[in-house]
Amino acid sequence: MALADIAPALLEDWLRTRYFTAKTDISSSGMAPGSLAGLRQQVGLEWSELDALDFRDSPSQGGARLRHALAERFVPGAEDRVMVTNGSSEALFLTLAALIRQDDEVVVVRPAYQSLYSPAVALGARLRFWDLAPEDDFVPDLAALERVLTPRTKLVIVNFPHNPTGATLTPEQYREFTSLISRHGCYLLWDGAFGELTHGQDPLPDPSGELARCVSTGTLSKSYGLPGLRVGWCFAPAELLPEMVRVRDYLTLNVSPLNETVAAAAVEHADSLLAVQRARAGRGRNVLTRWAARHPGLVALPPPHGGVCAFPALRGVPDVTAMADRLAREHGVLVAPGECFGHDDRVRIGFGGDIEELDEGLRVLAEQAGPVR
């Protein structure tokens, strides 16, 4: 297979036009997008600082200020292992391009966002899946992961907290998981896009701080509510970064210094920004869980333990994708059909946006999905 044969990105195809025409968006996996004015006020970013910018290219791994801020927050002392990227999707792609060779065995959590595995398939990888079971509310089973690993496994790819289900590892599971990866000796690609937004437990540590063969990724698009800024990052082993830079030289070269300046201010004030977002996420989660409890005959909701998306099954709906299309066309309500994640009976619902919009979207969804039982 050639890279040009990469599979269509089902979620992006679904959202491509609907996202911009929807009146009520309850599909998104991140917080409601903030504004530059609001961010500047929250972090004290002055226009004079932006006006002083020189529009030279940033270094291939990112500017010093942002790399320092990221290392201080996630892996102290690891500034030389940070790469600033155009969203975490670029970090994921560069990692796979640097690591994967024809017939390499890759284990990936499932269900999964396609950026975690479709590039690997296009690069010639042989996939094995660590399935999160819907009958167990998608709770991760590490014994199941261990059964999937083989001596040929080169890379394990996971996303916790998980998209689309909101499942995550407990602290005890996290320690068992990193121990398992360490014993096996394979690489780990840890997608931590939702890592700083958890419910009922503290965020998990960044595993690249303890595992030598680990690439961890993060982004401002999810927990921070800054998707349009398109700033992500990764922490990678020193020996892998030159390979990632080599691939990047044919793609994006670097990240805009304007975006890096705004991003650095956000990361430097992350605690205050995230306090607001966590409170908003908690309110949205409460609205969603109360809605599901009112419609037990229609909705089976695995409780989300991190992030701001959930993956409920819709009982008795014969064609969930068709229903989701009708919701968008006739009512302006946007959900992501589970078909995009390999589960035709489910939808992804985001609860990080405006509470009134969430209430309205859920009301219409319940009405259109079937009679309340």
Side-chain angles (χ1 to χ4, degrees):
M1 179 181 286
L3 193 55
D5 297 320
I6 193 168
L10 297 179
L11 181 62
E12 274 64 35
D13 280 349
W14 175 265
L15 296 176
R16 201 173 311 282
T17 56
R18 294 177 177 92
Y19 178 78
F20 296 100
T21 58
K23 295 183 297 183
T24 306
D25 178 16
I26 57 170
S27 72
S28 297
S29 59
M31 302 301 302
S35 68
L36 179 59
L39 180 65
R40 286 182 54 243
Q41 183 176 22
Q42 285 179 286
V43 305
L45 181 62
E46 300 293 338
W47 279 119
S48 57
E49 184 175 351
L50 299 177
D51 289 344
L53 275 174
D54 182 353
F55 281 117
R56 296 169 58 107
D57 282 344
S58 285
S60 295
Q61 284 185 223
R65 176 184 173 187
L66 180 51
R67 288 169 59 204
H68 174 76
L70 290 167
E72 283 291 296
R73 182 159 189 83
F74 297 107
V75 189
E79 290 175 47
D80 59 332
R81 295 198 287 112
V82 181
M83 174 182 277
V84 180
T85 58
N86 292 275
S88 58
S89 290
E90 185 183 24
L92 295 168
F93 183 89
L94 293 175
T95 302
L96 295 172
L99 272 177
I100 299 302
R101 300 295 179 264
Q102 186 69 36
D103 295 328
D104 280 346
E105 184 177 283
V106 174
V107 171
V108 61
V109 68
R110 186 168 64 178
Y113 184 50
Q114 268 185 265
S115 288
L116 295 182
Y117 64 89
S118 284
V121 174
L123 291 164
R126 296 177 181 272
L127 295 190
R128 292 172 62 83
F129 291 102
W130 176 26
D131 286 312
L132 306 185
E135 61 270 22
D136 296 328
D137 283 347
F138 299 100
V139 173
D141 180 353
L142 294 177
L145 170 60
E146 191 163 12
R147 288 193 296 269
V148 174
L149 295 172
T150 79
R152 289 177 48 84
T153 303
K154 183 175 185 178
L155 174 66
V156 173
I157 306 173
V158 298
N159 159 230
F160 292 119
H162 182 251
N163 177 13
T165 70
T168 195
L169 302 172
T170 66
E172 294 76 17
Q173 284 180 312
Y174 172 82
R175 289 191 290 272
E176 184 180 347
F177 172 80
T178 54
S179 176
L180 175 59
I181 297 297
S182 179
R183 293 195 309 271
H184 190 276
C186 58
Y187 280 94
L188 169 66
L189 177 50
W190 174 275
D191 173 15
F194 307 91
E196 296 195 87
L197 201 57
T198 53
H199 313 293
Q201 69 178 54
D202 291 335
L204 298 170
D206 188 311
S208 64
E210 58 183 283
L211 295 175
R213 307 188 86 187
C214 175
V215 178
S216 61
T217 68
T219 180
L220 296 182
S221 296
K222 303 300 181 184
S223 304
Y224 289 77
L226 301 171
L229 197 58
R230 301 307 307 149
V231 172
W233 61 86
C234 65
F235 290 84
E239 70 275 10
L240 199 61
L241 281 169
E243 292 296 306
M244 298 170 70
V245 168
R246 181 172 61 84
V247 176
R248 188 182 206 183
D249 284 345
Y250 290 93
L251 296 171
T252 62
L253 295 177
N254 50 55
V255 173
S256 159
L258 175 59
N259 292 7
E260 286 194 350
T261 298
V262 177
V267 176
E268 288 163 356
H269 294 82
D271 287 340
S272 60
L273 291 176
L274 290 170
V276 174
Q277 303 290 40
R278 286 174 182 139
R280 179 178 297 164
R283 291 192 295 271
R285 185 175 183 269
N286 289 339
V287 167
L288 177 63
T289 55
R290 287 197 298 266
W291 170 80
R294 290 197 303 272
H295 302 285
L298 175 65
V299 182
L301 176 69
H305 298 290
V308 286
C309 61
F311 204 44
L314 299 181
R315 294 168 167 151
V317 178
D319 189 335
V320 170
T321 301
M323 182 219 65
D325 182 57
R326 188 177 69 253
L327 275 178
R329 286 187 292 103
E330 299 180 6
H331 302 277
V333 175
L334 183 61
V335 296
E339 179 182 62
C340 297
F341 300 92
H343 287 263
D344 294 350
D345 62 331
R346 295 177 179 269
V347 291
R348 188 182 75 178
I349 294 176
F351 54 88
D354 178 81
I355 293 296
E356 292 183 359
E357 188 172 351
L358 176 62
D359 257 329
E360 174 63 10
L362 293 174
R363 181 190 67 78
V364 175
L365 171 58
E367 284 183 356
Q368 297 303 311
V372 178
R373 297 168 177 83

